[in-house]
Amino acid sequence: MALFTKKNQEVSFEVLPEHLGIIMDGNGRWAKQRGLPRKAGHKAGAEVYREISKECGRLGIKNVTFYAFSTENWKRPKEEVDALMALCKSYLLEAKEDVKQAGDIRLKIIGDKESFSPDLLELMVGAEKETEDHMGTTVNVAVNYGGRQEIVRAVNKLIAEGKTEITEEDISANLYTVPECDLIIRPSGEQRLSNFLLWQAAYSEFWYSDVLWPDFTKEDLYRALRDFEKRNRRFGGSE
Ligand code: FPP
């Protein structure tokens, strides 16, 4: 896949992750550095999300999951939670037009949707429906998502179906999203998984950067993908 950067240099990758996970971290610190409220950091972060999700579409990455709001993020001050929900809402209102620019992007909202207001839920379902025929790149936005919750939900679904013995395949088939995650990018200097894609990350490669998410650029994405190309993945086997 050949693309061109701002400087008109060709960008191409021999290997791309089939599923890329991105933990969008550092919005609060970005805002603090500028003397701004945290919600300003999230607003800047949402713009970067839009750019990077479209870039993943242009590159032809088949699945990308962005961690936008965890099951633990409800503990944040109400003002911040409200600002995050409002950002999600305004993005979803424009999502159809937005993903059209990037071609073939299918949008999915993953996580426990039951806690959302009816209007937000309607927008989520609408955006999923409008893009369901797009087969290029699936962009999952994880909202009210937790990896443990995702696994427990899968097990409960299987119990409700009457299963008495559960296999790994059963669990995989009942998660919000497959396939296994090949690469997880986490900016902002933190090096932890934070309950993200726990099951799918069993053999993920990790790529960290000190850049705060609102400063994350396409070039940072290319750097992570370039590094991923060189990884020697053995999945528990030997050379
Ligand atoms: C973590 O940074 C970031 C979040 C909890 C929210 C991420 C959300 C966005 C980027 C907006 C997404 C919007 C859409 C439309 C998908 P932090 O607040 O924990 O930052 P800090 O560690 O510097 O305090």
Side-chain angles (χ1 to χ4, degrees), residues 21-200:
I22 301 184
I23 301 177
M24 303 185 282
D25 197 9
N27 297 344
R29 278 163 285 167
W30 183 92
K32 194 171 176 200
Q33 282 172 3
R34 287 161 180 76
L36 297 170
R38 292 178 63 83
K39 63 183 178 187
H42 295 314
K43 189 164 189 288
E47 287 308 313
V48 173
Y49 154 78
R50 291 168 81 152
E51 279 314 305
I52 298 298
S53 59
K54 286 188 267 188
E55 189 59 22
C56 289
R58 285 189 279 264
L59 286 169
I61 297 173
K62 294 302 286 176
N63 304 278
V64 51
T65 301
F66 290 87
Y67 205 6
F69 192 88
S70 76
T71 43
E72 288 73 39
N73 286 154
W74 297 106
K75 292 183 220 151
R76 295 190 176 205
K78 184 175 181 309
E79 194 197 345
E80 186 175 349
V81 171
D82 288 349
L84 281 163
M85 294 302 146
L87 273 174
C88 196
K89 193 167 168 179
S90 63
Y91 167 67
L92 289 169
L93 282 166
E94 294 166 22
K96 193 178 166 193
E97 225 19 70
D98 206 53
V99 299
K100 220 195 274 171
Q101 290 173 16
D104 211 14
I105 288 186
R106 177 175 190 180
L107 201 61
K108 280 192 181 170
I109 312 297
I110 63 164
D112 182 359
K113 293 195 183 104
E114 274 174 29
S115 336
F116 299 121
S117 61
D119 59 333
L120 187 53
L121 191 58
E122 196 181 321
L123 285 170
M124 288 174 170
V125 174
E128 288 181 335
K129 192 115 200 77
E130 279 162 11
T131 59
E132 71 186 355
D133 297 331
H134 299 183
M135 293 298 154
T137 294
T138 297
V139 171
N140 299 303
V141 183
V143 195
N144 196 20
Y145 171 89
R148 288 181 179 173
Q149 182 270 340
E150 182 181 31
I151 296 167
V152 170
R153 173 181 168 272
V155 172
N156 280 326
K157 278 172 75 178
L158 292 160
I159 292 171
E161 283 167 19
K163 286 254 182 201
T164 50
E165 209 176 307
I166 292 170
T167 64
E168 291 191 9
E169 288 72 24
D170 290 331
I171 294 187
S172 295
N174 282 281
L175 298 172
Y176 292 120
T177 179
V178 282
E180 304 240 341
C181 190
D182 300 298
L183 173 66
I184 292 181
I185 293 177
R186 182 163 194 162
S188 92
E190 309 291 356
Q191 302 192 357
R192 54 178 172 262
L193 197 49
S194 302
N195 204 12
F196 184 52
L197 298 179
L198 291 186
W199 185 274
Q200 299 88 335

